[in-house]
Amino acid sequence: MIVVEDLYKRYRTDHGPGRWVLQGVNLVIPPRVNVGLVGRNGAGKSTLLRIMGGVDHPSRGTVRRECRVSWPMGFGGGLQGSLTGRQNAKFVCRIYGRERDMPEKLDYIQAFAEIGEAFEEPVKTYSSGMRARLKFAMSLAFDFDIYISDEITSVGDRAFRRKARKAFSDLVGRSSLVMVAHGESTLREFCDAGIWLHEGKAHWFDTIDDALKAYNDWQSV
Amino acid sequence: MELYRNSLRITLSVWKALLLREALARLFSSRGAWFWLVGEPVAHMAVLGLIYAGIRQRTIGGIDTLIWLVLGVQGFFLFRRTAGQMAGAIDSNRALFSYRQVLPIDTVLMRGVLEATLMTAVMAVILFGLVMMGHDIRPADPLRVLFAFIGLWLLGVAMGLIVSALSELVPEARQIIDLTMRPLYFVSGVLFSVGSVAPPYRDWFLLNPVLHGIDSLREGFSPYYHGVPGVSMGYLYDCAFIGIFIGLLLHRRFADLMVTR
């Protein structure tokens, strides 16, 4: 469960503090419910995910993570360019304190990512699709209660998307997913509930269809 | 996997992961990167040694010229590399901050630890080389030498902490390192004995803590060494600890700003 209370966020800019991206977001991500985040570009979807994932800090308000939450997948970052895919995977195993079963984890990541020989090459030589595959494989190698994903299902080729989809559907009932995607079909496929981020506030909908409807109604006005 | 680990265990595993990651990058990031760890100071010493020992004199202030030089260059390199590596730590590890366990200060501290380890190895290689060349490398006061090296390292840590924190707030701060290092090299007594500077000006040189470290090294090596009057290890440590305190304070205060951007 992730509890977000009265969350405010604005970024520093070169001209002092910027506009408020999030203004008083209150929400609870319940266990074992897949949640889709919708909103126009710049509504603060990625910001909210980053804050929930603990890699960014709120300007005001609190976030409580009462379970194991993944790092935000699909963002730039997370991979060190000068290291190989394997070395990056080892790094993540180590920071999660999984040194004992590291060989199995590495085998799993290598097999899932399906990037072949490139696993032993520096990440800076990877294409964006290969990076996405590796990052996705790394996050699935660990058991999280909540996976945070930003557009990860939209990168990669069709075969990989199908694989990602299957992996996510296998997680249903065990873990939950908080995701941002612009494809409505993707959201409908994965998500049960929805959150519409609008003018710095979060609106919770029990079904993703309602969330999309509210968002679309607003867009068409 | 156990559900929750305590903060200390998380930090320790992050430190271990970062240390290994940094060591890989430092030793194998480019072809022969490991060679230049030793090669750079050795080349430096070789050129200076040729000029000093070959042309000028056999001893400086009562100590073997080559030893005098090696201590000066190594002492200064230890300080400079530690400070420089730590100052760049946050920038080169930015990608890893998408794991919330990894904090900016972790990357900075681990680079400092790695540099100390590497410089110890480099020093061992160089001392071995000196023995092979027939120099007497036994220090008269090993503890004093050790503490002087540690003091110089701590001073590098202090500078690295401060600059790494400041450069996140004011991007220009990285220039400070480049700007100060060059003149610092000259006023630290690496190249000439500050003892030969006339008294009113010598006191200005003595404001520089690096000089205290380097001359303490030499004093520890030979009891007959007459270096700069007024050199004290206490001053070096005072500067180092005050600097580390300020550096940690900056990191604590501005930790949020560093990852956020």
Side-chain angles (χ1 to χ4, degrees):
Chain A
M1 196 160 79
I2 303 179
V3 183
V4 176
E5 276 171 355
D6 201 27
L7 183 77
Y8 283 75
K9 178 68 184 179
R10 64 177 168 189
Y11 286 100
R12 276 188 310 152
T13 67
D14 292 341
H15 326 288
R19 68 179 176 89
W20 288 103
V21 184
L22 302 172
Q23 318 186 39
V25 171
N26 285 291
L27 55 89
V28 174
I29 307 284
R32 287 181 292 282
V33 176
N34 290 353
V35 186
L37 214 56
V38 296
R40 61 174 184 83
N41 294 127
K45 300 187 293 291
S46 298
T47 303
L48 182 58
L49 286 191
R50 286 173 58 83
I51 293 176
M52 287 200 292
V55 295
D56 204 336
H57 302 274
S59 309
R60 249 193 275 160
T62 56
V63 176
R64 289 203 313 274
R65 283 177 293 276
E66 293 172 351
C67 59
R68 294 167 299 176
V69 181
S70 83
W71 63 89
M73 300 184 256
F75 287 94
L79 296 174
Q80 182 73 36
S82 58
L83 300 184
T84 68
R86 181 183 295 279
Q87 287 163 349
N88 269 290
K90 278 186 176 175
F91 179 83
V92 177
C93 287
R94 290 198 184 104
I95 62 173
Y96 277 92
R98 303 299 296 268
E99 297 210 281
R100 225 168 300 143
D101 52 353
M102 195 150 73
E104 292 100 85
K105 293 284 172 211
L106 291 176
D107 288 345
Y108 175 88
I109 293 169
Q110 189 171 16
F112 194 94
E114 281 180 2
I115 51 175
E117 302 282 301
F119 195 54
E120 317 293 344
E121 297 291 327
V123 167
K124 61 184 170 213
T125 64
Y126 287 20
S127 70
S128 55
M130 286 156 76
R131 281 165 184 265
R133 278 165 173 260
L134 180 59
K135 279 194 246 181
F136 191 62
M138 288 194 325
S139 54
L140 281 182
F142 301 94
D143 302 318
F144 292 115
D145 296 319
I146 296 183
Y147 288 84
I148 297 181
S149 148
D150 189 359
E151 299 273 1
I152 195 132
T153 43
S154 55
V155 283
D157 50 25
R158 186 183 293 173
F160 182 69
R161 284 217 297 274
R162 197 179 309 132
K163 195 167 180 176
R165 228 157 262 195
K166 186 176 173 311
F168 273 148
S169 53
D170 288 348
L171 290 175
V172 169
R174 192 152 59 85
S175 317
S176 54
L177 182 67
V178 181
M179 72 185 298
V180 167
H182 280 285
E184 289 196 7
S185 56
T186 318
L187 284 169
R188 285 209 168 86
E189 189 176 355
F190 285 117
C191 302
D192 315 314
I195 294 169
W196 176 34
L197 267 187
H198 182 56
E199 292 178 346
K201 296 262 194 299
H203 305 276
W204 174 272
F205 295 87
D206 281 340
T207 65
I208 186 72
D209 291 323
D210 289 346
L212 285 168
K213 188 168 172 295
Y215 174 49
N216 288 332
D217 285 350
W218 171 79
Q219 269 185 323
S220 57
V221 173
Chain B
M1 143 159 110
E2 69 273 51
L3 264 177
Y4 298 104
R5 297 179 292 159
N6 62 38
S7 308
L8 181 67
R9 279 193 54 197
I10 293 174
T11 303
L12 288 178
S13 54
V14 166
W15 281 1
K16 184 175 180 192
L18 277 173
L19 200 59
L20 289 166
R21 168 247 170 294
E22 289 286 357
L24 267 179
R26 192 96 170 88
L27 292 170
F28 305 108
S29 63
S30 60
R31 185 164 43 178
W34 52 271
F35 171 77
W36 290 110
L37 279 181
V38 188
E40 194 196 352
V42 167
H44 209 99
M45 290 164 199
V47 173
L48 292 176
L50 217 68
I51 299 170
Y52 276 68
I55 304 171
R56 256 183 77 200
Q57 61 225 86
R58 289 257 159 264
T59 62
I60 293 181
I63 174 174
D64 183 345
T65 304
L66 214 50
I67 299 270
W68 183 86
L69 260 177
V70 164
L71 291 174
V73 172
Q74 270 301 97
F76 190 76
F77 267 63
L78 175 65
F79 163 72
R80 186 176 75 181
R81 280 187 174 175
T82 306
Q85 284 292 313
M86 289 175 76
I90 296 183
D91 242 5
S92 17
N93 287 300
R94 200 167 289 287
L96 302 177
F97 298 140
S98 25
Y99 308 104
R100 63 177 165 275
Q101 295 88 340
V102 183
L103 301 177
I105 184 122
D106 295 332
T107 67
V108 178
L109 288 177
M110 283 309 105
R111 276 209 168 179
V113 172
L114 177 68
E115 219 45 40
T117 317
L118 292 178
M119 284 310 270
T120 309
V122 171
M123 191 64 196
V125 172
I126 290 172
L127 286 180
F128 180 73
L130 284 177
V131 174
M132 290 290 109
M133 286 161 67
H135 290 268
D136 182 12
I137 58 152
R138 281 168 304 177
D141 186 352
L143 269 183
R144 190 168 168 80
V145 174
L146 193 65
F147 282 128
F149 269 125
I150 293 174
L152 283 166
W153 178 70
L154 286 173
L155 195 67
V157 170
M159 183 145 172
L161 277 171
I162 293 173
V163 175
S164 64
L166 278 184
S167 62
E168 288 306 299
L169 309 172
V170 209
E172 297 81 8
R174 279 294 286 286
Q175 308 293 333
I176 297 174
I177 282 242
D178 301 335
L179 260 163
T180 49
M181 279 305 175
R182 213 163 288 264
L184 210 54
Y185 179 76
F186 288 108
V187 299
S188 297
V190 179
L191 288 180
F192 63 93
S193 176
V194 174
S196 61
V197 176
Y201 308 106
R202 190 194 292 155
D203 294 344
W204 299 355
F205 280 84
L206 281 171
L207 288 176
N208 168 18
V210 184
L211 170 67
H212 290 256
I214 288 179
D215 246 50
S216 295
L217 275 178
R218 292 166 177 160
E219 277 173 12
F221 241 85
S222 162
Y224 311 112
Y225 176 63
H226 41 92
V228 194
V231 159
S232 89
M233 200 112 80
Y235 181 69
L236 171 68
Y237 273 81
D238 286 349
C239 289
F241 282 126
I242 290 169
I244 288 175
F245 177 73
I246 294 172
L248 289 175
L249 204 65
L250 285 171
H251 270 273
R252 186 77 196 96
R253 171 66 184 79
F254 297 110
D256 289 1
L257 290 182
M258 289 179 204
V259 262
T260 306
R261 287 268 105 179

